Amino acid sequence: MKHTIKALALAVTAVVFLSCGKKTETYPMFWTWLEDLPDIDMESAFTHMEEAGLDAVMLHAASIEDYEKDVEIARRHGIKVYAWVWTLNPPRQERAQMLEEHPDWFSVNRLGQSVVDFKAYVNSYKFLCPALPEVREYLRDKVQAICDVDGVEGICLDYCRLIDCVLPISLAYNYKLTQDTEVFPEYDFGYHPAMIEKFMQQYGYDPRELDDPSRDGNWREFRCEQVTEVANIMCDVAHKAGKKVTASPFAAIGLDKFMVYQDFAKWDLDMVHPMAYTDFYTMDASFAYDATLSNYLGKGGKTTLMCGVDTELGGDPEDIFDKMDAAFRAGAQGISLYTIEGLDPAGLRARFKLYADSLRAVRAAGKLPEAPAVAPSLDPFENPTLMAVIERNMQRMIANGAIHERSVNGMIKDDLSVTYPALELGEYELVFENDRLRTYRVTDAASGKTLDLLLIVYGDIISGWDLRLVE
């Protein structure tokens, strides 16, 4: 029961001595994402949400009729429904027909390859070109239809971006890629003729003629702006319908711009749920803190900041409490879970409800933590929890030779019952640094092996690491 005790302690101490957070409009505090699929028992899914003390769901349904049915189920369980809208990546129910009828709507990479024919990581990545008027009209109509459903509180924008030009460093191993922070042309999207023409009209040159278009500020900002324009069109439709708008962007401001050409700080959102999925990035709860703090300091005052945390992406589901504690300390006003299924272990939903109820009481008293005004550190040695994870994996690598495999997060799951020989590390030496990557070299005297520690630093936070033996 240690996590329940810890969570309740956070609530009590917050009431006693933490400074009062700024007053914001009160939105649901504990959320999850859910897709209504044929094999999902929606009554059971909403029962589990209620058991866990969740307030709201970002729900994707295949049809307006399904939304209407699900809203009624959710109402019986006290759950608010926001429509989870798949935007520039059409949902599976629409994708095949759109590929057949509108192949010219889809995104193109730097090599001139359309996703109609080119597989970018997975078959489901069939993103649309945000510059096309036809695409914008399609999204406007989709949002309007959903907003007409009685009982839908608002919408959540997802996949409102381009395809990942760079993956989280561990996840890249699933595709046999060593990207580090290099933008490979086959994964660098946004080169649809409509995008190029629009850019050239504005700036007077063709980005394809540059040695490295990924480093051209105008071209990067332009692609972000096209996505922002699409996002704000949908926000405007929803707001005119009297609905609230949230979004599920990448983990942090800056990181989103580099990895997927988002700039969600410029979107007209009421709330935002950045996906600070720790098991995709640094594998420890401190990433939820760093990402949330970076967002808190950079988002401006009009958007209520939530934090999306993972429960089923390779880590221990019990870690959810540490992740939530970290996010709240950094200024989050609420939490969203990916997903409720990660709370299946015995008793976990009940303990989560104790946590949720205690934090709702803290918020009602106006005593949620005020985020510090100091930006997250890019010095890994100031982050003992991160270094503990890294050095544990150094032990694993020295003993077993590998820490990566094809898995949900690209990592071989750590068996914490295994004890490895202690490290005898010398000094870490910084051997390489640029605006995207830092590499430290260190030798373990006990084994005689030297390792390079790679840290991903774009977006003004440490957003990933890797270890490589030096031959």
Side-chain angles (χ1 to χ4, degrees):
M1 297 293 289
K2 64 178 182 177
H3 292 298
T4 300
I5 294 170
K6 179 178 180 180
L8 293 173
L10 172 63
V12 172
T13 55
V15 170
V16 174
F17 66 80
L18 286 172
S19 61
C20 179
K22 296 177 182 178
K23 292 293 183 181
T24 59
E25 184 169 348
T26 300
Y27 295 114
M29 197 171 186
F30 290 90
W31 305 59
T32 191
W33 288 270
L34 177 67
E35 187 174 6
D36 183 349
L37 296 172
D39 61 343
I40 298 291
D41 182 338
M42 297 300 287
E43 186 71 45
S44 177
F46 281 110
T47 297
H48 289 171
M49 291 181 210
E50 184 177 10
E51 290 171 351
L54 299 186
D55 308 291
V57 61
M58 292 170 278
L59 174 71
H60 179 258
S63 68
I64 296 301
E65 292 73 23
D66 287 335
Y67 273 117
E68 293 171 340
K69 168 181 62 71
D70 293 338
V71 164
E72 289 304 314
I73 301 173
R75 185 179 288 121
R76 294 198 300 271
H77 292 277
I79 307 294
K80 300 289 188 183
V81 173
Y82 284 68
W84 176 15
V85 184
W86 295 20
T87 60
L88 288 171
N89 187 26
R92 70 192 84 214
Q93 298 88 350
E94 302 173 24
R95 193 176 300 138
Q97 182 176 351
M98 291 184 69
L99 286 166
E100 181 178 353
E101 295 181 357
H102 304 291
D104 54 318
W105 287 12
F106 287 84
S107 193
V108 175
N109 66 16
R110 200 194 311 172
L111 299 178
Q113 299 166 314
S114 169
V115 290
V116 173
D117 306 305
F118 175 72
K119 178 181 176 180
Y121 306 118
V122 291
N123 289 324
S124 60
Y125 267 27
K126 301 297 182 184
F127 279 66
L128 302 170
C129 171
L132 287 170
E134 299 91 338
V135 168
R136 297 182 177 198
E137 189 65 26
Y138 153 75
L139 293 172
R140 183 184 287 110
D141 291 346
K142 171 187 279 196
V143 169
Q144 184 63 64
I146 292 172
C147 287
D148 288 341
V149 177
D150 184 43
V152 169
E153 302 285 329
I155 62 170
C156 171
L157 305 180
D158 200 4
Y159 293 109
C160 194
R161 58 181 179 87
L162 302 189
I163 290 172
D164 319 51
C165 64
V166 172
L167 293 169
I169 194 166
S170 60
L171 195 59
Y173 281 85
N174 281 348
Y175 306 97
K176 296 181 172 59
L177 296 171
T178 307
Q179 291 171 305
D180 293 343
T181 59
E182 181 181 358
V183 178
F184 295 156
E186 59 267 43
Y187 299 108
D188 187 18
F189 279 84
Y191 293 79
H192 190 286
M195 291 277 278
I196 297 295
E197 180 181 3
K198 195 171 182 179
F199 178 81
M200 291 181 67
Q201 288 174 351
Q202 184 171 343
Y203 290 99
Y205 63 93
D206 188 335
R208 295 171 296 184
E209 297 176 357
L210 302 173
D211 290 337
D212 184 357
S214 74
R215 292 189 177 275
D216 183 69
N218 291 335
W219 180 227
R220 175 162 299 283
E221 288 299 323
F222 174 82
R223 286 183 282 182
C224 289
E225 287 166 5
Q226 298 309 300
V227 172
T228 292
E229 288 178 12
V230 167
N232 286 338
I233 286 169
M234 292 183 285
C235 289
D236 182 62
V237 171
H239 286 146
K240 285 178 177 176
K243 307 293 185 178
K244 298 297 183 181
V245 185
T246 185
S248 305
F250 265 40
I253 293 170
L255 179 151
D256 66 329
K257 292 178 68 174
F258 178 70
M259 296 184 77
V260 291
Y261 305 104
Q262 283 177 327
D263 192 358
F264 69 82
K266 295 180 179 178
W267 299 0
D268 296 331
L269 304 172
D270 301 291
M271 297 161 281
V272 65
H273 294 255
M275 300 180 293
Y277 297 160
T278 60
D279 290 328
F280 275 166
Y281 293 95
T282 65
M283 313 293 169
D284 75 299
S286 70
F287 180 73
Y289 178 88
D290 286 353
T292 302
L293 179 55
S294 176
N295 293 331
Y296 180 89
L297 296 174
K299 71 180 178 59
K302 67 178 182 178
T303 305
T304 297
L305 177 63
M306 309 293 189
C307 180
V309 292
D310 52 307
T311 62
E312 54 173 288
L313 297 179
D316 186 344
E318 298 276 350
D319 292 343
I320 185 62
F321 299 102
D322 290 335
K323 296 172 185 179
M324 292 190 295
D325 284 356
F328 281 120
R329 288 198 308 271
Q333 300 292 306
I335 294 293
S336 46
L337 301 179
Y338 188 80
T339 65
I340 187 67
E341 293 179 6
L343 299 185
D344 279 347
L348 194 54
R349 284 197 293 274
R351 283 182 283 146
F352 190 97
K353 186 176 189 304
L354 285 174
Y355 184 104
D357 288 344
S358 70
L359 266 293
R360 273 189 286 264
V362 171
R363 185 177 73 169
K367 299 293 185 179
L368 281 178
E370 184 78 15
V374 179
S377 174
L378 288 175
D379 183 349
F381 309 108
E382 293 181 358
N383 187 334
T385 61
L386 172 61
M387 289 308 300
V389 170
I390 289 171
E391 292 184 358
R392 167 72 178 181
N393 279 280
M394 285 184 179
Q395 292 176 307
R396 295 172 65 197
M397 178 167 276
I398 288 170
N400 300 323
I403 57 176
H404 297 289
E405 67 177 357
R406 183 165 181 82
S407 65
V408 66
N409 61 8
M411 296 290 290
I412 298 173
K413 193 171 181 64
D414 190 3
D415 182 352
L416 297 178
S417 68
V418 176
T419 300
Y420 296 106
L423 299 171
E424 297 179 24
L425 298 177
E427 293 293 322
Y428 285 85
E429 178 189 3
L430 181 63
V431 295
F432 178 81
E433 181 177 15
N434 65 16
D435 60 335
R436 302 175 181 178
L437 178 70
R438 292 182 184 177
T439 302
Y440 293 88
R441 182 161 293 176
V442 66
T443 296
D444 172 42
S447 64
K449 294 184 178 180
T450 297
L451 300 98
D452 279 346
L453 164 61
L454 287 71
L455 295 171
I456 307 304
V457 296
Y458 48 70
D460 297 324
I461 60 173
I462 296 173
S463 58
W465 56 265
D466 196 14
L467 296 170
R468 296 175 191 166
L469 286 170
V470 178
E471 300 298 333

